[in-house]
Amino acid sequence: MSGYRPPGSTIGVLGGGQLGRMLTIAARRMGYRVVSWIGAPDSGPAGLADSIIEEPFDCGDGLATFLDRAEVATVEFENIPKSLLERIVEKVPLMPDAAAVGICQHREREKCFLLEKGFPCAAFMVVDSAVQLDAALGKLPDNGGILKTAEFGYDGKGQVGVNRGSNAVEIWASFEAPRAVLEEKIVLAAELSVLVVRDQAGHTAVYDPVENIHRDHILDVSIVPARLDPAILAEAGKIALGIADALDYRGILAVEFFVSGDGRLLVNEMAPRPHNSGHHTIDACETSQFEQQLRVLCGLPIGSTRLHSPAVMLNLLGDVWVDNDGNPDWPAVLALPGAALHLYEKHEARRGRKMGHVTFTAATLPEALANQAEARRILGIPALL
Ligand SMILES: Nc1ncnc2c1ncn2[C@@H]1O[C@H](COP(=O)(O)OP(=O)(O)O)[C@@H](O)[C@H]1O
Ligand SMILES: [Mg+2]
């Protein structure tokens, strides 16, 4: 047990994106210091850390500096090499640990973990050659499948839709990955996520499940409370807590779910860190997902996960800048009731790149949804279907 670390202690964050930035904001608000190892020379979102290490993750000097400064460590990005995590944990407590991150960062290990522990997920086959892919394609159901790289996928990258008639040789040649998971394609009735926090002693708390709507495989909006059957939501919460226990997890864990057209609740994937679908917790919950991560790292009690207002979180992708000549109308967005704007200080707006988000809270969910719809109109984001 690594115990209590008082304000003034330094937490080490691996990764340089917006999740680390928002964790840093929570940490600094509470008087903690942050060292961010970002692994590259672009310090945009990580700019609020007390110190930044730019050396690549395979650099020994970078590791030495990180270990020298950090009293406890965490990841804001799951694709940190597992071997590096294992070296860090020899010197500094790491939460979540290398084993948990190692499962969540690798689709094959993740799927096998779910299957072995009895958590429901989409049917899948592991493939590592064109011949295996050809055989696996022949076994796909009518609805087809999605081929996903085992590692380094995000926002739908490293994924391709396939069916029984697909040309395995061509697909495999274009797929630059040594291993992949072929998954049945689910007819989606809805997508959900559940955030769970589990502390150093194994106490847990769960947030209200979130309804997620994706566009082009990227999260578009998150809606809380989710507009779904309460029995399904309760089951999702139970499964997410069960996964956190099965991983002997420390920190904040996000579990993504599919609800299929035929009513099945399936685990899609896990993220061993704060999650895009949990950003509403900053403005709509008693304790944000970022503060929870800090609390677990520093041996503080878990905070209340209570939702104090219905909320709709709208992601702001680079498209918003590109389509508004670099100058979105923030005054108009912020004139909408209950709007909380979060921008990540990324230097360059590219289509599909997450640049910020705006959360709408209101007394009722329909009001929050209506204000969100108006923000889409102002920013030129296509309306929700
Ligand atoms: N098996 C599937 N059936 C239907 N839709 C899927 C399936 N797998 C992924 N998707 C869609 O693609 C999105 C992104 O896929 P996901 O596996 O979560 O990868 P990542 O979030 O790492 O890019 C999902 O949220 C879902 O909308
Ligand atoms: Mg996902």
Side-chain angles (χ1 to χ4, degrees), residues 308-326:
H308 56 64
S309 321
V312 179
M313 188 276 326
L314 170 64
N315 255 347
L316 301 172
L317 304 181
D319 307 55
V320 165
W321 281 254
V322 175
D323 295 337
N324 290 281
D325 296 326

Side-chain angles (χ1 to χ4, degrees), residues 78 107 110-111 122-123 143-148 152-159 182-188 190-192 212-219 256-258 266 268-270 273 275 354:
E78 64 266 38
R107 279 191 204 279
E110 183 175 57
K111 289 282 195 180
N143 197 35
I146 300 187
L147 185 67
K148 303 181 176 184
F152 309 122
Y154 70 98
D155 290 344
K157 293 188 176 62
Q159 298 194 10
L182 177 61
E183 203 174 281
E184 67 170 312
K185 180 158 188 202
I186 306 295
V187 178
L188 295 175
E191 292 191 67
L192 287 181
N212 296 319
I213 300 177
H214 292 77
R215 218 154 40 94
D216 301 330
H217 301 278
I218 305 175
L219 184 63
E256 296 180 13
F257 292 89
F258 297 142
L266 302 167
N268 170 23
E269 60 172 352
M270 291 95 80
R273 50 170 170 77
H275 193 258
K354 291 172 180 169

Side-chain angles (χ1 to χ4, degrees), residues 69-111:
R69 294 183 189 163
E71 293 166 65
V72 59
T74 190
V75 295
E76 68 96 52
F77 168 64
E78 64 266 38
N79 292 324
I80 304 288
K82 189 161 176 261
S83 54
L84 174 61
L85 299 177
E86 285 160 354
R87 291 188 63 188
I88 287 172
V89 85
E90 287 167 12
K91 296 276 163 50
V92 169
L94 175 72
M95 295 173 235
D97 66 16
V101 177
I103 289 172
C104 302
Q105 75 183 181
H106 193 283
R107 279 191 204 279
E108 178 184 346
R109 290 200 285 262
E110 183 175 57
K111 289 282 195 180

